[in-house]
Amino acid sequence: MSPDQPPDGLPDAVPADVRAQVMPAVLDELARWGVERFSIEALAERHRIDAEMIYHYWGDRQRLIVDAALADLETWGDVPDTGSLRGDLEALAISVAKRVNTEVGRAFLRALVMAPRGRHDEETRMMFWRARFAVVRQIIDRARRRGELRDGITAVAATQVLLAPINIRALYSDALIEEEYCSAIVDLAYHAIARQ
């Protein structure tokens, strides 16, 4: 599966009250146990939620985890469109840093990057990263249409140049990621991918 394919098979008719009850429990379980040890039965028991209801709306643990990941992406807000590659990169970096500066955001990021124990969990992670990549790709595609990207720069490489330092810092440190750090990373990323 390539990272620019949209996730499929996600629930689309979960009532708001059910989603409001289940999603915080999913994030809590992922933060505690990661993807490998995530279990709908354990979630249901710990959070006093009917497991059959979860299976009814989501079908399986993979769909539930990916739906939580997509809900987490919504906390990023709209894809920035400042009119320039540099401005878009800075707005995105600050938005991502704000999210991973929260306890839930950092725990969720860490839960999704542990070493895979099986194919199923790797597929779950890939669905999450494809969804995140799709958000960033919009910025890169706009910059390409405006003629702001160097030749040979792929959307995957551009995304990694910007987000890898932020994600690595969030994975290995509990320190806040400040706007000054984001600006420094954006400056490096911009010079790496922008047409000069």
Side-chain angles (χ1 to χ4, degrees):
M1 291 189 247
S2 71
D4 54 352
Q5 292 174 328
D8 52 11
L10 294 178
D12 56 3
V14 180
D17 61 325
V18 172
R19 182 174 295 283
Q21 181 184 20
V22 172
M23 286 297 114
V26 173
L27 293 176
D28 181 62
E29 290 296 299
L30 285 169
R32 287 175 189 252
W33 309 109
V35 173
E36 286 81 21
R37 293 175 57 199
F38 181 89
S39 158
I40 289 177
E41 289 73 19
L43 175 152
E45 183 177 331
R46 235 183 311 278
H47 296 272
R48 296 188 170 95
I49 299 172
D50 180 22
E52 289 303 314
M53 176 189 69
I54 295 172
Y55 282 112
H56 171 75
Y57 286 112
W58 282 276
D60 60 34
R61 69 189 280 278
Q62 183 179 39
R63 286 184 181 187
L64 182 59
I65 292 168
V66 172
D67 192 32
L70 295 177
D72 185 67
L73 284 176
E74 291 174 9
T75 66
W76 287 20
D78 294 331
V79 178
D81 187 359
T82 65
S84 74
L85 174 59
R86 183 186 282 276
D88 289 354
L89 293 176
E90 183 141 17
L92 178 65
I94 289 170
S95 175
V96 170
K98 282 182 181 175
R99 181 58 182 153
V100 298
N101 278 338
T102 68
E103 184 178 339
V104 168
R106 195 158 295 201
F108 195 56
L109 177 67
R110 289 173 177 171
L112 287 168
V113 296
M114 296 297 143
R117 301 267 193 271
R119 186 170 185 268
H120 178 81
D121 293 325
E122 180 63 17
E123 288 176 5
T124 302
R125 284 188 183 84
M126 283 303 297
M127 291 174 79
F128 168 75
W129 290 114
R130 277 198 310 273
R132 182 169 279 194
F133 174 76
V135 172
V136 180
R137 183 177 189 136
Q138 294 176 53
I139 293 171
I140 303 308
D141 288 346
R142 268 197 316 259
R144 189 178 313 284
R145 287 192 298 273
R146 291 189 301 248
E148 293 179 280
L149 287 185
R150 279 193 310 110
D151 292 338
I153 296 295
T154 67
V156 171
T159 301
Q160 291 171 338
V161 166
L162 177 67
L163 295 184
I166 295 169
N167 288 332
I168 292 296
R169 188 163 176 188
L171 289 171
Y172 291 106
S173 169
D174 289 328
L176 289 180
I177 299 170
E178 297 150 343
E179 285 192 20
E180 294 79 18
Y181 179 79
C182 291
S183 294
I185 295 303
V186 167
D187 192 52
L188 293 170
Y190 180 78
H191 283 96
I193 68 176
R195 186 181 300 280
Q196 301 300 321

